[in-house]
Amino acid sequence: MAMTDDEKLMTAYHEAGHAIVGRIVPKHDPVYKVTIIPRGRALGVTMFLPERDKYSQSKIALESSIATLFGGRIAEAMIYGEDEVTTGASNDIARATTLAKNMVTKWGLSDKLGPQMFTKDEYEEELGAASGDTLKIIDAEVKRILDENYDNAEKVLKENEDILHAMAKALMKYETINSDQIDDLMARRPVRSVDDIDDDDLSTDDSEEDKHDGIPSTVHRSL
Amino acid sequence: MAMTDDEKLMTAYHEAGHAIVGRIVPKHDPVYKVTIIPRGRALGVTMFLPERDKYSQSKIALESSIATLFGGRIAEAMIYGEDEVTTGASNDIARATTLAKNMVTKWGLSDKLGPQMFTKDEYEEELGAASGDTLKIIDAEVKRILDENYDNAEKVLKENEDILHAMAKALMKYETINSDQIDDLMARRPVRSVDDIDDDDLSTDDSEEDKHDGIPSTVHRSL
Amino acid sequence: MAMTDDEKLMTAYHEAGHAIVGRIVPKHDPVYKVTIIPRGRALGVTMFLPERDKYSQSKIALESSIATLFGGRIAEAMIYGEDEVTTGASNDIARATTLAKNMVTKWGLSDKLGPQMFTKDEYEEELGAASGDTLKIIDAEVKRILDENYDNAEKVLKENEDILHAMAKALMKYETINSDQIDDLMARRPVRSVDDIDDDDLSTDDSEEDKHDGIPSTVHRSL
Amino acid sequence: MAMTDDEKLMTAYHEAGHAIVGRIVPKHDPVYKVTIIPRGRALGVTMFLPERDKYSQSKIALESSIATLFGGRIAEAMIYGEDEVTTGASNDIARATTLAKNMVTKWGLSDKLGPQMFTKDEYEEELGAASGDTLKIIDAEVKRILDENYDNAEKVLKENEDILHAMAKALMKYETINSDQIDDLMARRPVRSVDDIDDDDLSTDDSEEDKHDGIPSTVHRSL
Amino acid sequence: MAMTDDEKLMTAYHEAGHAIVGRIVPKHDPVYKVTIIPRGRALGVTMFLPERDKYSQSKIALESSIATLFGGRIAEAMIYGEDEVTTGASNDIARATTLAKNMVTKWGLSDKLGPQMFTKDEYEEELGAASGDTLKIIDAEVKRILDENYDNAEKVLKENEDILHAMAKALMKYETINSDQIDDLMARRPVRSVDDIDDDDLSTDDSEEDKHDGIPSTVHRSL
Amino acid sequence: MAMTDDEKLMTAYHEAGHAIVGRIVPKHDPVYKVTIIPRGRALGVTMFLPERDKYSQSKIALESSIATLFGGRIAEAMIYGEDEVTTGASNDIARATTLAKNMVTKWGLSDKLGPQMFTKDEYEEELGAASGDTLKIIDAEVKRILDENYDNAEKVLKENEDILHAMAKALMKYETINSDQIDDLMARRPVRSVDDIDDDDLSTDDSEEDKHDGIPSTVHRSL
């Protein structure tokens, strides 16, 4: 199923949005490759290089992940307008919501609720949130975390809209850009050409990571 | 099971309602054929020509789909009065509701709720909406989207009531009208006669499309 | 199990209540036969002649069906008093409730809620009504439709109480009355005698109709 | 398991309570036998003679059944005080509650809710009561019916406390009393002796009746 | 698993608490033996002698059972302070709660709710309590019954704290005390020595009684 | 999977937090060993020596367990700041929540709710908490217990921040420290070197203890 140039460009802006936010927010795994070659249900993919195996995620790293997940959708809205925002960000939204929900109900990372478990425990008994009042606070905290990081990602992209255009353009030209090229783009330098991109690096098998509470090691615009 | 002329006429108005709204709302797939020959549970069918395979749907296109789905029902009410509105629009209503609900809970297309998932995630864990307050906003947003697009479709049909009558008349005469004839009707020109309609074009197998979150490629008045 | 004359008379009034309302409310299928000969769980049956196969039901026809279903119960209350009203109308009540509920939640026939689906969709996903506020409106709308049509049926029977007595008397005399005799009764004419009633017409197998969203083609006083 | 005389006397008062209320409330099946010989889980039994097979139950007859069911418990409270009321009335309470609930949710016999079904329909779809407001009215109506008939039964027993003592005394003497003896007691006449009580009449197999929505044909003080 | 003397003493106070309350509250089965020899999950056991097989339980006897169940816990709190109260009373608490709940929802022994069933009936249909308002009253009534009997048991133990100390001391000396010794303690007489305690009397198999709605014939401090 | 020195240090602070709180709060089992050698899903482990088999847990001991569970998380926040707090405390949080919930709903250790069971009883019937009001109090009580013990643990660690640094340093040096070394650290003495640590003591098989309502005999920072 061939993509039109319009679709490719929208995907390029979407992935560039992920990549730029991922590069700028604190404590995020380094973005090392972005592609608009479709694979499976992904129209494009942004890839992160975990510098080392991580034992646990800090609050600030989780928030940066949420911001990066929102980057694609925000780029669409900035370039095409809110009315043209597409259903393509649904996977990003699901993962960001999962992270925010876990922060509040499982990892004790909401100041308002404190270190309490609000999910089932390991013996499948319901813990914590029983009353409507508590559920209301959980909802509000999840929304707050999502909103704050959406706003943060939007601020990052608005301050770097020139890079967004440049990266989308580079993706239309090369289809895949690597870490060095992303460095050029982030530094507002001319993008170096790439002679040889090893196709193995592009593997997008994120099934393993998806099981770890939705912590993204790739993000993609989905079919 | 033979239809009476009264039934045929009501079906003609119903399908003409879909077709006219589908032609006028922005970013909608082009309407290319309308028929009142019953097939299966459909008393009549309005068909859309997807210009290209779509990877994702924009917010505005989804809203246009909802308006088009409501077009049939609104035409019934306009011509026969609210008391004579029939149960024949139940499939349209179900599909419009599914689209509006997904926009709000899955695709992050409600400004009030923002980019958050309110359905189960891929691991069947409930996301988002836990409290009665959030559910109330979801209900209100779904209703707002439906109401706005119902009103829009009604405005379109009221401004083009002459075309509605002309198209219903053409359907009673030809039973099936094609894209050229619809062009004539929309342009308020005399409807050209059609010598040969290839029956293959009338295939109404929409089972495939129905699975893609209810995005309509045909709409019909149902038994 | 032999019925006493008292039981027979109460059944006669019950069925006459259905028949008279069914004859007077607008857009109702014609009542063509009434009997107080018990069959299965029915103590008496009122039969309707669908003039043609119907593709869809109009709002006004659905409301007339609800009124007709209530006719039996109202006749009991009028003649014997509210305290003597029996459990025999439970099937009528269930069918009237089903119709009213579908009008509101499935067929978009409540002005307050508009064209929205509030039941599960075809993929078994819950649509629409999530919050307590919406459920409250659904309840109120269902009750309003039932109440309005109950009141309407009561008005019809109070204005035609003489026909009610005459029809009950005719049923006690003939046990079954046909369309011509019902015509006589509705016209306040003496009831013609019937020489020959073909027993086949009395078949009360309504299992098929029951499956179509409870649209009544027979109504009966149940065991 | 032998009963003490104290237990026997309490059972005698309990059954006499059922019998006297059942004799006095309107439209109740005639009480024809009372026994304090235990059978199965019943410590004593009050039996009713259905005069004919009934096709349906009137509202007033249902309310009399509820009052009669409460008669046993009220007798205990009158004679022994509220603190000595026992768990022996739990079966009576369950059956009275079932009747009151069906009157309100199935048989349309609550003025406040009117002729509407609030249980699942025959296709197992939930009807009617969706909102908390409606549930509150259902609860209130069920309680009102129970309270009114409890109060009525209490009034009956207070006005006939002499008969209550006389009947309990007769039960202690004869263990089983028949219709003629109950006639004597209700007429405040000396109780005739019974030479021969056919044991077959005492069969208390009420499994059949229990299935008909709890309409009592026997009531008993349960183990 | 050997108990320390501290554990033994705490158990002695716990069982003495049960025994003293059980001896003093009205209509309670007679306490005839208390032991601090552990068996199964019981660290100590207080045994009651049912004077005869009971057919039903009176309201006052049920309340006395609740008070007696709380006796163990109250003794712990009196002697060791609220902070040292242990998890050992969880079985007592569960049984007291079951009794109070049944009194309110099954046996009609709450004045506020009256003789109504609020559990499922024998055909597994939900009876009674549907609305939040009714549930609130049920909760309040259950809590009231528990609180009143807790307070009553506490009053009993405070007025007899000297007996509590004496009985705990006797249990530390003899490990098991019988009915005569309990008589001595309740009468504030020196405790007679026991030459021979038939071990058969100590059987604590209460599995049978536990099935009868939690009416205690033994109570114990649990592991 | 090798841990970086940064990870090791964070784990050292986490475990030291557990150990110091566990040593200072009243009635807690003695901390006898702490290690940052990872095992299974544990990045580090703090071990407690139950002085004797316990038959039941007192309220104060349960609260001390909750405080100790929170010690690890609080140490992370104190040293690295709230933003750097990690998901590694999720197991601690789950266990603390389980303890607090059981205190309130099972062991009768909330003054506000008193000795009542709010879980299912042994026959799987729901006890107690039915209404939203009661659930609200349960939620509030669970939160209060967690908050009070979190605050208490935080106070302990702030008053002993010098010991926290010293213990983390000792753990980085020795990887495992024993009871004598912990004694030195708690007394602010130089830490004695350990010539021989028997590896058998380090067994962290806590599967058995985990089954006893989450009462911790080891706590760990989890993967």
Side-chain angles (χ1 to χ4, degrees):
Chain A
M1 189 161 74
M3 289 215 294
T4 62
D5 275 1
D6 280 359
E7 281 282 2
K8 270 188 194 161
L9 186 62
M10 201 165 188
T11 301
Y13 273 109
H14 185 105
E15 296 306 325
H18 285 313
I20 294 165
V21 176
R23 275 282 173 117
I24 289 172
V25 289
K27 306 267 171 177
H28 199 282
D29 292 332
V31 179
Y32 82 102
K33 199 161 291 188
V34 185
T35 181
I36 58 169
I37 303 171
R39 341 206 125 203
R41 292 186 60 85
L43 302 181
V45 184
T46 303
M47 277 163 273
F48 308 102
L49 187 73
E51 286 185 315
R52 51 173 177 80
D53 288 321
K54 264 172 302 183
Y55 292 92
S56 56
Q57 288 272 327
S58 70
K59 185 183 174 186
I60 200 165
L62 292 163
E63 291 185 321
S64 289
S65 292
I66 293 171
T68 299
L69 281 160
F70 282 146
R73 154 81 174 247
I74 294 165
E76 287 188 38
M78 273 171 67
I79 304 304
Y80 297 92
E82 281 293 342
D83 272 2
E84 297 292 341
V85 159
T86 67
T87 57
S90 65
N91 184 265
D92 299 337
I93 294 172
R95 288 164 76 180
T97 307
T98 302
L99 285 176
K101 187 125 202 208
N102 282 343
M103 285 176 69
V104 171
T105 63
K106 226 161 125 177
W107 299 326
L109 296 173
S110 143
D111 289 344
K112 236 180 202 153
L113 288 158
Q116 186 173 348
M117 203 76 161
F118 294 101
T119 58
K120 290 187 190 295
D121 67 8
E122 34 198 331
Y123 316 113
E124 280 304 294
E125 292 216 31
E126 196 63 56
L127 284 184
S131 76
D133 281 19
T134 309
L135 296 175
K136 206 183 295 188
I137 302 174
I138 291 174
D139 271 17
E141 283 292 273
V142 170
K143 183 156 180 35
R144 183 189 55 74
I145 292 172
L146 291 172
D147 285 350
E148 282 177 11
N149 288 290
Y150 187 94
D151 291 347
N152 190 32
E154 197 174 37
K155 194 165 152 281
V156 164
L157 286 180
K158 287 214 168 132
E159 288 169 3
N160 297 282
E161 199 173 340
D162 56 328
I163 300 181
L164 183 63
H165 288 295
M167 196 180 286
K169 205 175 139 192
L171 280 165
M172 289 304 282
K173 183 170 172 192
Y174 300 111
E175 286 198 304
T176 300
I177 55 176
N178 66 13
S179 191
D180 292 337
Q181 290 171 310
I182 298 167
D183 287 347
D184 291 343
L185 286 158
M186 296 308 292
R188 296 183 168 83
R189 288 193 302 255
V191 185
R192 281 167 287 173
S193 145
V194 178
D195 295 318
D196 190 4
I197 294 170
D198 178 6
D199 201 63
D200 288 356
D201 294 354
L202 296 177
S203 73
T204 58
D205 176 16
D206 58 356
S207 59
E208 201 56 39
E209 289 81 2
D210 266 359
K211 279 177 199 145
H212 291 95
D213 297 310
I215 300 161
S217 66
T218 68
V219 294
H220 57 264
R221 185 163 181 239
S222 65
L223 193 55
Chain B
M1 187 162 74
M3 288 215 293
T4 62
D5 276 0
D6 281 359
E7 281 282 4
K8 270 187 195 162
L9 187 62
M10 201 165 188
T11 302
Y13 273 110
H14 186 105
E15 296 306 325
H18 285 313
I20 294 164
V21 176
R23 275 285 172 115
I24 289 171
V25 290
K27 308 265 171 176
H28 199 281
D29 292 332
V31 178
Y32 81 103
K33 201 161 293 189
V34 185
T35 181
I36 59 169
I37 303 172
R39 340 205 126 204
R41 292 186 61 85
L43 302 181
V45 184
T46 303
M47 277 161 272
F48 308 101
L49 188 71
E51 287 185 315
R52 52 176 177 77
D53 288 322
K54 265 171 301 183
Y55 292 92
S56 56
Q57 288 273 326
S58 70
K59 186 183 175 188
I60 201 165
L62 292 164
E63 291 185 321
S64 290
S65 292
I66 293 171
T68 300
L69 282 161
F70 281 146
R73 155 80 174 246
I74 294 165
E76 287 188 38
M78 272 172 67
I79 304 303
Y80 296 93
E82 281 292 344
D83 271 2
E84 297 291 341
V85 158
T86 67
T87 56
S90 64
N91 185 265
D92 299 338
I93 293 171
R95 288 164 75 181
T97 307
T98 303
L99 285 177
K101 188 125 201 206
N102 283 343
M103 286 176 68
V104 171
T105 63
K106 227 161 123 178
W107 298 327
L109 297 174
S110 144
D111 289 344
K112 238 181 201 151
L113 289 158
Q116 186 174 349
M117 204 76 162
F118 292 101
T119 58
K120 289 187 190 297
D121 67 8
E122 33 199 331
Y123 316 114
E124 281 304 292
E125 291 215 32
E126 197 63 56
L127 283 184
S131 76
D133 281 19
T134 309
L135 295 175
K136 207 184 294 188
I137 302 174
I138 291 175
D139 271 17
E141 282 294 272
V142 170
K143 183 157 179 34
R144 183 188 56 74
I145 291 171
L146 291 172
D147 285 351
E148 282 178 10
N149 287 291
Y150 187 94
D151 291 348
N152 190 32
E154 198 174 38
K155 193 165 152 283
V156 164
L157 286 180
K158 287 213 168 132
E159 288 169 2
N160 296 282
E161 199 173 341
D162 56 328
I163 300 179
L164 183 63
H165 287 296
M167 196 181 285
K169 206 176 137 190
L171 281 164
M172 288 305 281
K173 185 169 171 192
Y174 300 110
E175 288 200 301
T176 299
I177 55 175
N178 66 13
S179 190
D180 293 336
Q181 291 170 310
I182 298 167
D183 288 347
D184 291 342
L185 286 158
M186 296 308 292
R188 296 185 168 82
R189 287 192 304 253
V191 184
R192 279 168 288 173
S193 147
V194 178
D195 294 319
D196 191 2
I197 295 169
D198 179 5
D199 201 63
D200 287 357
D201 294 355
L202 297 177
S203 72
T204 59
D205 176 16
D206 59 356
S207 59
E208 200 57 38
E209 290 81 2
D210 265 2
K211 280 176 200 146
H212 292 93
D213 296 311
I215 300 161
S217 65
T218 67
V219 294
H220 57 264
R221 186 164 180 237
S222 64
L223 195 52
Chain C
M1 186 162 76
M3 288 214 294
T4 62
D5 277 1
D6 281 0
E7 281 281 4
K8 270 187 194 162
L9 187 62
M10 202 165 187
T11 301
Y13 274 110
H14 185 106
E15 297 306 325
H18 286 312
I20 293 164
V21 176
R23 275 285 173 115
I24 288 171
V25 290
K27 308 266 172 176
H28 198 281
D29 293 331
V31 178
Y32 82 102
K33 201 161 290 189
V34 185
T35 182
I36 58 170
I37 303 171
R39 336 205 129 205
R41 292 185 62 85
L43 302 180
V45 183
T46 302
M47 278 161 272
F48 308 102
L49 189 68
E51 286 185 316
R52 53 177 177 76
D53 288 322
K54 265 170 303 181
Y55 292 91
S56 57
Q57 289 272 326
S58 70
K59 185 183 176 188
I60 200 166
L62 292 163
E63 291 186 322
S64 289
S65 292
I66 293 170
T68 300
L69 281 160
F70 281 147
R73 155 80 174 248
I74 294 165
E76 286 188 39
M78 273 172 68
I79 304 304
Y80 296 92
E82 282 292 343
D83 271 2
E84 297 292 340
V85 159
T86 66
T87 56
S90 65
N91 184 265
D92 300 337
I93 293 171
R95 288 164 75 181
T97 306
T98 303
L99 285 176
K101 187 125 201 205
N102 283 343
M103 285 176 68
V104 172
T105 62
K106 227 162 124 179
W107 299 325
L109 296 173
S110 144
D111 289 345
K112 239 180 200 150
L113 288 158
Q116 186 174 348
M117 204 75 161
F118 292 101
T119 58
K120 290 186 190 295
D121 67 8
E122 32 199 333
Y123 316 115
E124 281 304 293
E125 291 215 32
E126 197 62 56
L127 284 183
S131 76
D133 280 19
T134 309
L135 295 175
K136 208 184 293 189
I137 302 175
I138 291 175
D139 270 17
E141 283 293 272
V142 171
K143 183 156 179 34
R144 183 188 56 74
I145 292 172
L146 291 172
D147 285 351
E148 281 178 10
N149 288 290
Y150 187 94
D151 291 347
N152 189 32
E154 198 174 39
K155 192 165 153 282
V156 164
L157 286 180
K158 287 214 167 135
E159 286 169 3
N160 297 282
E161 197 173 343
D162 56 327
I163 301 179
L164 183 63
H165 286 296
M167 196 180 286
K169 207 177 136 190
L171 280 165
M172 289 304 281
K173 186 171 169 191
Y174 300 110
E175 289 199 299
T176 300
I177 56 175
N178 67 13
S179 189
D180 292 337
Q181 291 171 309
I182 299 167
D183 287 347
D184 291 342
L185 286 158
M186 296 308 291
R188 296 184 167 83
R189 287 191 304 254
V191 184
R192 278 167 288 173
S193 147
V194 177
D195 294 318
D196 191 5
I197 294 168
D198 179 5
D199 202 62
D200 289 355
D201 295 355
L202 297 178
S203 72
T204 59
D205 175 15
D206 58 357
S207 59
E208 200 58 38
E209 289 82 2
D210 266 1
K211 280 176 199 145
H212 294 92
D213 297 311
I215 300 162
S217 65
T218 68
V219 293
H220 58 263
R221 186 167 180 235
S222 66
L223 194 53
Chain D
M1 186 163 75
M3 288 214 294
T4 63
D5 276 1
D6 281 359
E7 280 281 2
K8 270 188 194 162
L9 186 61
M10 201 165 188
T11 301
Y13 274 109
H14 186 106
E15 297 305 325
H18 285 313
I20 293 164
V21 176
R23 274 285 173 115
I24 288 172
V25 290
K27 308 266 172 174
H28 199 280
D29 293 332
V31 178
Y32 82 101
K33 201 160 290 187
V34 185
T35 181
I36 58 169
I37 303 171
R39 339 205 127 204
R41 293 186 61 85
L43 302 180
V45 184
T46 303
M47 279 162 269
F48 308 101
L49 189 69
E51 287 185 316
R52 54 177 175 77
D53 288 322
K54 265 170 303 182
Y55 292 92
S56 57
Q57 288 271 327
S58 69
K59 183 182 176 188
I60 200 166
L62 292 163
E63 291 186 321
S64 290
S65 292
I66 294 170
T68 299
L69 281 160
F70 282 147
R73 155 81 174 248
I74 295 165
E76 286 187 39
M78 273 171 68
I79 304 305
Y80 297 92
E82 281 293 343
D83 271 2
E84 296 292 340
V85 159
T86 66
T87 56
S90 65
N91 184 265
D92 300 337
I93 292 171
R95 288 165 75 181
T97 306
T98 303
L99 285 176
K101 186 124 201 208
N102 282 343
M103 286 177 68
V104 171
T105 61
K106 224 160 127 178
W107 299 326
L109 296 172
S110 144
D111 290 345
K112 238 181 201 150
L113 288 159
Q116 187 174 347
M117 204 76 161
F118 293 101
T119 57
K120 289 187 190 295
D121 68 8
E122 31 199 334
Y123 315 114
E124 281 303 294
E125 292 214 31
E126 197 62 55
L127 285 183
S131 75
D133 280 19
T134 309
L135 295 175
K136 207 185 291 189
I137 302 175
I138 291 174
D139 270 17
E141 282 293 272
V142 170
K143 182 155 182 33
R144 183 189 55 74
I145 291 172
L146 292 172
D147 284 351
E148 281 178 11
N149 288 290
Y150 187 94
D151 291 348
N152 190 32
E154 197 174 39
K155 193 165 152 283
V156 164
L157 286 180
K158 287 211 166 137
E159 287 170 3
N160 296 281
E161 196 172 342
D162 56 328
I163 300 180
L164 183 63
H165 287 296
M167 196 180 286
K169 205 176 139 192
L171 280 165
M172 290 305 281
K173 185 170 171 191
Y174 299 111
E175 288 200 299
T176 300
I177 57 176
N178 65 14
S179 190
D180 292 337
Q181 292 172 308
I182 299 167
D183 288 347
D184 291 342
L185 286 159
M186 296 308 294
R188 296 185 168 81
R189 286 192 304 255
V191 185
R192 279 168 287 172
S193 146
V194 177
D195 296 317
D196 191 4
I197 293 169
D198 180 4
D199 201 62
D200 289 356
D201 295 355
L202 296 178
S203 72
T204 59
D205 175 15
D206 59 356
S207 59
E208 200 58 37
E209 290 82 1
D210 265 1
K211 281 176 197 145
H212 293 93
D213 296 312
I215 299 161
S217 66
T218 68
V219 293
H220 58 262
R221 187 169 180 233
S222 64
L223 195 51
Chain E
M1 186 164 76
M3 289 213 294
T4 62
D5 275 0
D6 281 358
E7 280 281 3
K8 270 188 194 161
L9 187 61
M10 202 166 189
T11 301
Y13 274 109
H14 185 105
E15 297 305 324
H18 285 313
I20 294 164
V21 176
R23 274 282 173 118
I24 289 172
V25 289
K27 308 268 169 176
H28 199 281
D29 293 331
V31 178
Y32 82 102
K33 200 160 292 188
V34 185
T35 181
I36 58 169
I37 303 171
R39 339 206 126 203
R41 294 186 60 84
L43 302 181
V45 183
T46 303
M47 279 161 270
F48 309 101
L49 188 70
E51 287 185 317
R52 54 178 174 77
D53 289 322
K54 265 170 302 181
Y55 292 92
S56 56
Q57 288 272 327
S58 69
K59 184 182 175 187
I60 200 166
L62 292 163
E63 292 186 319
S64 290
S65 292
I66 294 170
T68 300
L69 282 160
F70 282 146
R73 155 80 173 248
I74 294 164
E76 288 187 38
M78 273 171 67
I79 304 305
Y80 297 92
E82 283 292 342
D83 271 2
E84 297 291 341
V85 159
T86 67
T87 57
S90 64
N91 185 265
D92 301 336
I93 293 172
R95 288 165 75 180
T97 306
T98 302
L99 285 175
K101 186 125 203 209
N102 282 344
M103 286 177 68
V104 171
T105 62
K106 224 160 128 178
W107 298 327
L109 296 172
S110 146
D111 290 344
K112 237 182 203 152
L113 289 158
Q116 186 174 346
M117 204 77 163
F118 293 100
T119 58
K120 289 188 191 295
D121 67 8
E122 32 199 332
Y123 315 114
E124 280 303 293
E125 293 215 28
E126 197 62 54
L127 284 182
S131 75
D133 279 20
T134 309
L135 295 175
K136 208 184 293 188
I137 302 174
I138 291 174
D139 270 17
E141 282 293 272
V142 170
K143 181 154 180 38
R144 183 189 54 75
I145 292 172
L146 291 173
D147 284 351
E148 282 177 11
N149 288 290
Y150 188 94
D151 290 348
N152 189 32
E154 197 174 40
K155 193 166 152 282
V156 164
L157 285 180
K158 287 210 167 138
E159 287 168 3
N160 296 281
E161 197 172 341
D162 56 328
I163 301 180
L164 184 62
H165 288 295
M167 197 180 285
K169 205 176 138 190
L171 280 164
M172 289 305 281
K173 183 170 172 191
Y174 300 110
E175 288 200 300
T176 301
I177 56 176
N178 66 12
S179 189
D180 292 337
Q181 292 171 308
I182 298 166
D183 287 347
D184 291 342
L185 286 159
M186 296 308 294
R188 296 184 168 80
R189 287 192 304 255
V191 185
R192 279 168 287 175
S193 145
V194 178
D195 294 319
D196 190 3
I197 294 168
D198 179 6
D199 200 64
D200 289 355
D201 296 354
L202 295 178
S203 72
T204 59
D205 174 16
D206 58 357
S207 59
E208 200 57 40
E209 290 81 2
D210 264 1
K211 281 177 196 145
H212 292 94
D213 298 311
I215 300 161
S217 66
T218 69
V219 293
H220 58 264
R221 186 167 181 235
S222 62
L223 195 52
Chain F
M1 188 163 74
M3 290 214 293
T4 62
D5 274 1
D6 280 359
E7 280 281 3
K8 269 188 195 161
L9 186 63
M10 201 165 189
T11 300
Y13 274 110
H14 185 105
E15 296 306 325
H18 285 313
I20 294 164
V21 177
R23 274 282 173 119
I24 289 172
V25 289
K27 307 268 171 177
H28 199 281
D29 292 331
V31 179
Y32 82 102
K33 199 160 291 187
V34 185
T35 181
I36 57 170
I37 302 171
R39 339 206 126 203
R41 292 186 60 85
L43 302 181
V45 184
T46 302
M47 278 162 270
F48 308 102
L49 187 71
E51 286 185 317
R52 52 176 176 78
D53 289 321
K54 265 172 300 180
Y55 293 90
S56 55
Q57 287 272 329
S58 69
K59 184 182 174 187
I60 200 165
L62 292 163
E63 292 186 320
S64 290
S65 292
I66 293 171
T68 300
L69 282 160
F70 282 146
R73 154 80 174 249
I74 294 165
E76 287 188 38
M78 273 172 65
I79 304 305
Y80 297 92
E82 281 293 342
D83 272 2
E84 297 291 341
V85 159
T86 65
T87 57
S90 65
N91 184 265
D92 299 337
I93 293 172
R95 288 165 76 179
T97 306
T98 302
L99 285 176
K101 187 125 202 208
N102 282 343
M103 285 178 69
V104 172
T105 63
K106 225 161 125 177
W107 299 326
L109 296 173
S110 144
D111 290 344
K112 238 181 202 152
L113 289 157
Q116 186 173 347
M117 203 77 161
F118 293 101
T119 58
K120 289 186 191 296
D121 67 8
E122 32 198 331
Y123 316 113
E124 281 303 293
E125 293 216 29
E126 196 63 54
L127 284 183
S131 75
D133 280 20
T134 309
L135 296 175
K136 207 184 293 189
I137 302 174
I138 291 174
D139 270 17
E141 283 293 272
V142 171
K143 182 154 180 37
R144 183 189 54 76
I145 292 172
L146 291 172
D147 285 351
E148 282 177 10
N149 288 290
Y150 187 95
D151 291 348
N152 190 32
E154 197 174 39
K155 193 165 152 283
V156 164
L157 286 179
K158 288 212 168 136
E159 288 169 3
N160 297 281
E161 198 172 342
D162 57 327
I163 300 181
L164 184 62
H165 288 295
M167 196 180 286
K169 205 176 140 192
L171 280 165
M172 289 304 281
K173 183 170 172 192
Y174 299 109
E175 286 199 303
T176 300
I177 56 176
N178 67 11
S179 191
D180 292 337
Q181 291 171 308
I182 298 166
D183 287 346
D184 290 343
L185 285 159
M186 295 310 292
R188 296 184 168 82
R189 287 192 303 256
V191 185
R192 281 167 287 174
S193 145
V194 179
D195 295 318
D196 190 4
I197 295 169
D198 178 6
D199 200 64
D200 288 355
D201 294 355
L202 295 178
S203 73
T204 58
D205 175 16
D206 60 355
S207 60
E208 200 56 39
E209 290 80 3
D210 265 1
K211 280 176 197 146
H212 292 96
D213 297 311
I215 300 160
S217 66
T218 68
V219 294
H220 57 265
R221 185 164 181 239
S222 63
L223 194 51

